Amino acid sequence: MPDRTRHENHTAWQATVVTLFPEMFPGPLGHSLSGQALESGLWSLDCIALREFGLGRHRQVDDTPAGGGAGMVMRADVIAAAVDQALTKQSTSNLPRIYLSPRGTPLTQLAAKELAAGPGVFLLAGRFEGVDERVLEARDFREISIGDYVLSGGELAAMVLIDACVRLIPGVLGADASLNQESFEGGLLEYPQYTRPRDWEGRPIPEVLLSGDHGRIAQWREMRAREMTKTRRPDLLAPKTGKK
Ligand code: SAM
């Protein structure tokens, strides 16, 4: 039975996305757990179509980069018009404003947890060479990256961020216990998982997992999680420095 506490006592977690491609949404977010949660009102999605705020007959949203160079830049005035109209809704005015950008601070599980615990997110998805810096400053956008690579647009990045948050909203996943042992919880990657059949192509499930001894199973999982983290992501085990 999903926990509806948040939905009944508070407004649902809200995602507002300013985008040139509103038709891309909800896309994958409309399926499976996030889709069911959207349908049941645990979160809500509002897309602002940037093209509607474009200039002239062609509803132009971009222009050539000041100083020259390749590509086009999204105009500050057009983005501001879309953002300002969206912000007239009381429910969006208190959402953290985030521009999805490869220059941003990396999206982490901790960041997703913090955003999921808040009222929602107000996202700006870029296209072309990105957006005029002035609108980011003037409308107080922070920047978040979903990884060290360049996508063609911010829509997929927005979906990734929303998905990472939505599954953390109470009631979206069946068992809270499954969240506690996932990768990045406790600073480790998850241990390897197995299910039936007991033997597959000559590869048996590790005996300890069939022993019924919960103490030994927990020990084995911890050991495997540490091994995997050490070989694949030693950076997660390194002591964190730079904290002031
Ligand atoms: N010229 C930009 C640069 O070098 O940083 C890249 C622009 S990219 C082609 C177009 C849009 O995709 C960006 O404005 C941003 O919204 C989105 N984007 C691309 N890579 C991303 C990433 N790693 N994380 C989040 N958003 C990304």
Side-chain angles (χ1 to χ4, degrees):
M1 200 52 180
D3 169 10
R4 295 275 170 84
T5 324
R6 180 187 184 102
H7 183 42
E8 281 160 10
N9 295 341
H10 308 276
T11 52
W13 193 85
Q14 185 181 335
T16 297
V17 188
V18 177
T19 167
L20 266 175
F21 297 100
E23 64 279 10
M24 284 188 178
F25 291 84
L29 298 170
H31 296 265
S32 189
L33 289 169
S34 54
Q36 286 158 21
L38 184 59
E39 212 159 277
S40 67
L42 286 170
W43 69 288
S44 69
L45 176 66
D46 190 15
C47 287
I48 312 295
L50 199 54
R51 187 66 69 187
E52 288 175 14
F53 298 84
L55 306 174
R57 204 156 54 91
H58 297 294
R59 299 218 171 268
Q60 194 182 341
V61 299
D62 55 345
D63 215 321
T64 52
M72 300 293 270
V73 176
M74 294 170 90
R75 292 177 59 119
D77 50 356
V78 173
I79 291 174
V83 168
D84 292 349
Q85 194 190 73
L87 290 177
T88 58
K89 284 191 196 167
Q90 212 198 344
S91 57
T92 48
S93 59
N94 63 340
L95 301 179
R97 290 174 214 161
I98 295 163
Y99 167 49
L100 282 312
S101 155
R103 300 184 314 198
T105 51
L107 178 63
T108 59
Q109 188 65 14
L110 181 62
K113 264 187 178 176
E114 285 169 2
L115 291 170
V121 285
F122 187 101
L123 305 178
L124 172 60
R127 282 272 154 182
F128 318 123
E129 290 309 317
V131 313
D132 187 312
E133 191 71 18
R134 292 169 296 178
V135 74
L136 301 176
E137 292 163 5
R139 295 297 181 272
D140 206 16
F141 277 90
R142 62 192 258 222
E143 298 184 38
I144 290 186
S145 164
I146 65 155
D148 289 346
Y149 39 79
V150 180
L151 302 167
S152 343
E155 288 76 14
L156 286 175
M159 289 179 201
V160 167
L161 185 148
I162 293 170
D163 184 75
C165 293
V166 160
R167 62 194 298 284
L168 299 174
I169 297 171
V172 172
L173 289 188
D176 284 348
S178 64
L179 281 177
N180 297 336
Q181 294 180 8
E182 279 187 324
S183 292
F184 309 113
E185 290 295 329
L188 297 177
L189 301 179
E190 194 184 53
Y191 47 80
Q193 299 271 19
Y194 302 86
T195 186
R196 293 187 180 88
R198 191 174 173 142
D199 238 292
W200 179 74
E201 293 193 348
R203 295 163 187 266
I205 292 176
E207 177 280 326
V208 61
L209 298 178
L210 306 171
S211 68
D213 182 336
H214 297 298
R216 273 182 65 212
I217 291 172
Q219 251 180 0
W220 180 88
R221 285 179 166 165
E222 163 86 16
M223 183 189 74
R224 292 306 314 274
R226 282 198 178 281
E227 280 170 10
M228 280 202 160
T229 312
K230 198 169 161 194
T231 42
R232 297 181 184 188
R233 292 291 306 277
D235 56 300
L236 293 176
L237 295 171
K240 302 278 176 277
T241 55
K243 276 193 180 166
K244 292 197 177 135

